[in-house]
Amino acid sequence: MLEFIWLVPLFGAVLLWTLGPQLRSWSGPIGSALIGASFLATCALWGSATAPGGLHVPLVSWLPGWSFGLQLDRLSLIWSLIITGVGFLIHVYSIGYMDGDRAFARFFAYMNFFVFAMLTLVLSDNVVGLLIGWGLVGLASYFLIGFWFYKPSAVAAAKKAFVINVFGDVGIMFAVFALYAATGSIAFADIFAKAGTLPVGVLIAVCVGLFVGAAAKSAQVPLQTWLPDAMEGPTPVSALIHAATMVTAGVYLVARFAPLYSLSPTAQELVAVVGATTMVLGAILGVGQWDIKRILAYSTMSQIGYMIMGVGVGAYQAGVLHFFTHAFFKAQLFLGAGLIIHALHDEQDVRKMGGLRERMPFAFWAMLIGTLAIIGFPLTSGFYSKDAVIYGALEHGHPWLYVAGVLTAGITAYYMFRMLFVTFFGPYRGGVPNERLAMPPAAVTHAEAEGHDSHAPDWVMQLPVAILIVPTIAAGYASVSFGGPSPWSRFFGTLFGTSYNVAGPILPVPEWASSIFVLLLVAAGIVIAYLRYGTPAAQAGAIERLRAEAVRMPPALVHAFWFDDAIEAAIVHPAQALGVAISRFVDPHVIDAGVRDVVWIAGALGVIFRKLQTGLVRGYALTIVIGAALFIAYFATLGASR
């Protein structure tokens, strides 16, 4: 059954890739059904996965210590359910969103391949299988981000994401080599059993190498620049890759290697600080965005920072809980944004929207509920998971990281409600006539939508969003305690052990007081956003004020704190200069010259040896006699010297 879960998406990718032109519009339902089957099979293995030791299926045994297999334990079960469950809903949504696209079948082949790659990553029972899945995920994201390859911006974004992710792959490769050299095995079970015997230096090096890969895949500072650009891909890609699955792979990696990180406070501190920095930076950059998908991209970067900070301080259950809830409400936000983008013919600038609350009520309520969840509003899933991460930082002795988490919560509330007010309130400011927004789906074909007309989303797009609303509200209740350990705590039990990376004094602040403090900051962010963008006065002159605000935007926000420029100056330009130097000097004067010299030497030797080929037998005999005499003289001299 576990092999079925793993291989069905691969079968779908191959089937849709080879028979896509024949299947045509059936590609979407077939690809979606296969992912749905994988999800149902994952649910059926709940009992086996939660049993002591989980479910393990050996596949290949090669050299000693090199055995490949699949494992489904409590941690990989959570990720597999999200990958296949949320992935199934996004596949269904894509049937409507990608309808009419000339590469409809290819899109679903790529989506199925991505799900297979993610399952390879999380189901592997060894570091090499994880690394293979890690690389395949990067390849699949390259295909999906650059899906519309006729757009230069999409091609550039795909290459950028691929290169940065490969940089992270090198870090994981280094960690894999170090682990095998130290333990003689690639299996998680063997590595974790010997974790306590690893030298401190090796332990730190392995944890840092793993985190380099995690930082690249999860868009952590300074390797985060690919994530906003990746919004060039279709919106369902953003929902699947950049909300629910791929960008959380780094969280899975740190949580999977918790037995190693728990033994290295230095590595834990690095992970926590980088996560907190990313959390704050992503929120600040979200304030300066006008593209609705880039706003959500920076919010993803910030929320992943929360998760990384959580697992970094040792609050593994809290970090994984935030991954679990985030998968639902961020997928809902991206798919809700896709409803708007689809209706406004690919318009993504919120300054050209407005007044959509009446015209698109379903999208409004979906985005509102998702926004309430991401800011941690009470009775939504994000309230429980975000509070758990923030208080976890305090509980594990990191008061400054706690303060950063609280401030980020307030900033998140501000820029998310800023997006909500500008998009849905006030008068409509876009180029699509208002009356066209009210037309039923049948009134505007997809072909007309490609001709810059509106296209109202139909039920196949709205149904997945409606389903996601339920866990967006309710998923966090798994962590609520009813007179004992919460279901979430009981589910993980002792999987992560007891890790208290105490970096400073633990402040005597009860959790309820911390929650109130966070809510006050969240309320302040909402109020400020309302006063700036939601009041009737602000809406009346919105066009002029938004234009003026864009002009006055601080350069640091416009240029995303110049991270791209720094990478260009420090890495890209020197690499390009080195490439030019090699092509102009080393290649022609060293490599090509070496080849030419070998050819000349071979020719010269040929001329010499041709002169020796006289055809006279007595000449050949004389050569043999002289050669034998020289050998005898050499060995006689060598024996005499000894």
Side-chain angles (χ1 to χ4, degrees):
M1 182 67 82
L2 193 53
E3 300 96 318
F4 175 84
I5 295 170
W6 177 49
L7 292 176
V8 159
L10 178 61
F11 169 75
V14 174
L15 175 68
L16 297 177
W17 179 260
T18 54
L19 299 180
Q22 289 74 34
L23 295 174
R24 297 182 181 178
S25 61
W26 281 99
S27 300
I30 291 173
S32 303
L34 291 173
I35 302 303
S38 187
F39 171 69
L40 293 176
T42 305
C43 294
L45 290 181
W46 178 283
S48 300
T50 55
L55 176 63
H56 182 255
V57 178
L59 296 177
V60 178
S61 293
W62 188 28
L63 301 174
W66 283 72
S67 59
F68 296 83
L70 303 176
Q71 71 173 17
L72 189 67
D73 60 4
R74 294 169 187 261
L75 185 64
S76 56
L77 175 64
I78 292 295
W79 255 267
S80 298
L81 288 172
I82 293 298
I83 293 167
T84 56
V86 176
F88 167 70
L89 294 176
I90 295 173
H91 272 70
V92 174
Y93 177 95
S94 302
I95 296 173
Y97 193 91
M98 300 301 294
D99 179 39
D101 194 283
R102 288 174 294 180
F104 187 73
R106 178 167 60 89
F107 177 82
F108 283 92
Y110 288 167
M111 293 280 277
N112 272 225
F113 177 67
F114 174 83
V115 172
F116 163 74
M118 277 298 303
L119 289 174
T120 303
L121 191 161
V122 301
L123 293 178
S124 294
D125 69 346
N126 62 90
V127 290
V128 174
L130 182 146
L131 177 61
I132 293 171
W134 200 271
L136 291 177
V137 167
L139 178 63
S141 69
Y142 171 80
F143 291 151
L144 287 168
I145 295 169
F147 177 75
W148 286 323
F149 54 83
Y150 51 83
K151 296 169 57 179
S153 57
V155 175
K159 290 191 293 186
K160 184 177 183 179
F162 186 76
V163 169
I164 292 179
N165 276 275
V166 167
F167 177 80
D169 295 350
V170 174
I172 299 182
M173 287 182 194
F174 172 82
V176 170
F177 297 152
L179 284 171
Y180 182 72
T183 65
S185 177
I186 63 172
F188 292 144
D190 296 337
I191 291 171
F192 298 154
K194 299 177 182 178
T197 65
L198 296 178
V200 175
V202 172
L203 191 62
I204 293 176
V206 167
C207 290
V208 171
L210 290 171
F211 186 61
V212 169
K217 196 74 77 182
S218 293
Q220 300 296 287
V221 171
L223 303 176
Q224 82 286 358
T225 58
W226 67 269
L227 183 61
D229 293 350
M231 297 301 107
E232 291 292 338
T235 301
V237 172
S238 303
L240 180 64
I241 295 183
H242 311 121
T245 53
M246 173 178 160
V247 291
T248 62
V251 185
Y252 173 82
L253 188 66
V254 177
R256 173 57 70 193
F257 285 89
L260 301 186
Y261 280 97
S262 297
L263 294 174
S264 178
T266 301
Q268 279 191 309
E269 194 75 17
L270 171 67
V271 173
V273 170
V274 171
T277 304
T278 306
M279 170 185 69
V280 176
L281 186 68
I284 293 173
L285 289 174
V287 172
Q289 304 303 311
W290 299 110
D291 185 309
I292 190 169
K293 286 177 65 175
R294 279 184 171 260
I295 295 172
L296 296 178
Y298 280 114
S299 74
T300 297
M301 172 182 160
S302 182
Q303 297 304 307
I304 301 297
Y306 270 110
M307 301 174 207
I308 293 291
M309 183 182 75
V311 296
V313 300
Y316 294 105
Q317 289 191 15
V320 175
L321 175 64
H322 198 50
F323 149 75
F324 184 64
T325 61
H326 175 269
F328 298 117
F329 62 69
K330 183 52 65 66
Q332 179 182 324
L333 283 168
F334 266 113
L335 297 185
L339 297 177
I340 300 169
I341 295 168
H342 202 57
L344 300 182
H345 175 60
D346 297 332
E347 180 58 69
Q348 297 180 193
D349 192 331
V350 295
R351 293 170 296 181
K352 298 179 181 179
M353 298 179 187
L356 300 181
R357 181 177 48 167
E358 293 81 13
R359 297 296 184 182
M360 303 183 66
F362 177 79
F364 167 70
W365 285 107
M367 294 292 286
L368 175 61
I369 294 171
T371 298
L372 292 174
I374 197 174
I375 69 172
F377 196 79
L379 304 181
T380 65
S381 61
F383 170 74
Y384 301 100
S385 60
K386 183 179 289 188
D387 267 25
V389 170
I390 293 174
Y391 192 72
L394 187 64
E395 191 177 27
H396 288 73
H398 294 76
W400 288 110
L401 300 185
Y402 168 79
V403 172
V406 173
L407 291 177
T408 303
I411 299 172
T412 303
Y414 169 75
Y415 73 78
M416 289 301 296
F417 266 87
R418 167 183 179 264
M419 177 195 73
L420 207 66
F421 289 134
V422 174
T423 302
F424 290 101
F425 288 74
Y428 179 68
R429 300 177 296 274
V432 179
N434 260 315
E435 59 272 14
R436 298 291 283 169
L437 295 177
M439 295 182 68
V444 185
T445 65
H446 189 78
E448 290 174 333
E450 291 184 341
H452 297 273
D453 219 331
S454 66
H455 181 276
D458 54 16
W459 69 269
V460 78
M461 293 173 62
Q462 294 181 351
L463 180 60
V465 181
I467 293 173
L468 283 169
I469 290 175
V470 177
T472 292
I473 296 173
Y477 289 95
S479 66
V480 177
S481 175
F482 298 97
S486 68
W488 190 259
S489 297
R490 292 198 303 271
F491 178 80
F492 283 107
T494 59
L495 179 65
F496 299 118
T498 55
S499 172
Y500 274 79
N501 178 23
V502 179
I506 301 177
L507 301 181
V509 178
E511 190 169 2
W512 63 265
S514 172
S515 298
I516 292 175
F517 185 41
V518 173
L519 285 177
L520 289 176
L521 267 292
V522 168
I526 296 174
V527 169
I528 294 172
Y530 175 74
L531 293 176
R532 287 179 58 83
Y533 303 100
T535 64
Q539 292 289 347
I543 295 178
E544 295 76 11
R545 197 172 56 76
L546 292 175
R547 186 181 296 117
E549 183 177 333
V551 173
R552 296 194 305 268
M553 190 71 67
L557 297 184
V558 174
H559 298 282
F561 289 99
W562 296 281
F563 274 97
D564 274 322
D565 300 285
I567 293 174
E568 288 275 342
I571 299 175
V572 176
H573 291 163
Q576 290 176 336
L578 179 63
V580 170
I582 290 174
S583 66
R584 291 183 179 178
F585 302 103
V586 177
D587 192 35
H589 301 298
V590 178
I591 298 176
D592 286 348
V595 173
R596 289 194 298 270
D597 290 345
V598 169
V599 172
W600 183 86
I601 292 171
L605 290 174
V607 172
I608 294 172
F609 283 108
R610 276 200 303 272
K611 292 180 179 179
L612 298 177
Q613 305 302 314
T614 61
L616 298 175
V617 175
R618 60 188 176 186
Y620 298 153
L622 180 62
T623 302
I624 293 172
V625 170
I626 293 174
L630 290 175
F631 268 103
I632 293 170
Y634 171 76
F635 284 108
T637 305
L638 185 63
S641 64
R642 290 179 178 177

